[in-house]
Amino acid sequence: MRWNHPTKGVTGPDLFIPYAESSGLISRISEFVMNDSANLMNSLKKIGYEDIKVSINISSYQFMHDDLIEIFKNINHIYHLSHRLIVTGKQIGRAHV
């Protein structure tokens, strides 16, 4: 994700994520990204791409201050995605050990 700043142009997440975290907007940004990704996965599933996996970086802020599980449940309820397509940080960590 990139932010198109009105005067600085395209700004990468390394610059705007800290501000989003400190202002509390990170939850809304992450939920938007998760919804958009799930919508894309659902669209691809409808045309025959069943096993598309998407990786989404989640801010550590959310793990400590948010209802992340509820957001995942709501998105899954809306888009009816397979639970096996959700890869957690714990699974990723194990894969790199």
Side-chain angles (χ1 to χ4, degrees):
M1 173 177 247
R2 305 290 179 260
W3 174 35
N4 193 8
H5 189 277
T7 59
K8 296 180 182 180
V10 178
T11 304
D14 58 321
L15 296 177
F16 74 84
I17 293 296
Y19 296 108
E21 288 174 335
S22 66
S23 69
L25 289 175
I26 191 66
S27 296
R28 292 180 65 196
I29 292 170
S30 294
E31 190 168 356
F32 169 81
V33 170
M34 287 187 275
N35 264 301
D36 198 48
S37 299
N39 185 31
L40 176 61
M41 291 172 69
N42 196 43
S43 296
L44 291 170
K45 183 174 127 180
K46 288 178 181 178
I47 61 171
Y49 295 96
E50 292 286 329
D51 290 329
I52 298 295
K53 294 180 181 162
V54 175
S55 175
I56 301 171
N57 293 329
I58 304 292
S59 166
S60 59
Y61 175 91
Q62 284 190 272
F63 285 105
M64 299 181 331
H65 298 96
D66 211 8
D67 55 350
L68 193 57
I69 300 300
E70 287 304 313
I71 292 170
F72 276 125
K73 285 181 183 178
N74 290 337
I75 290 170
N76 190 51
H77 178 73
I78 293 167
Y79 296 104
H80 308 289
L81 298 172
S82 169
H83 292 287
R84 67 187 178 83
L85 298 178
I86 298 173
V87 179
T88 66
K90 187 174 183 180
Q91 291 168 318
I92 292 169
R94 265 190 263 142
H96 293 288
V97 173

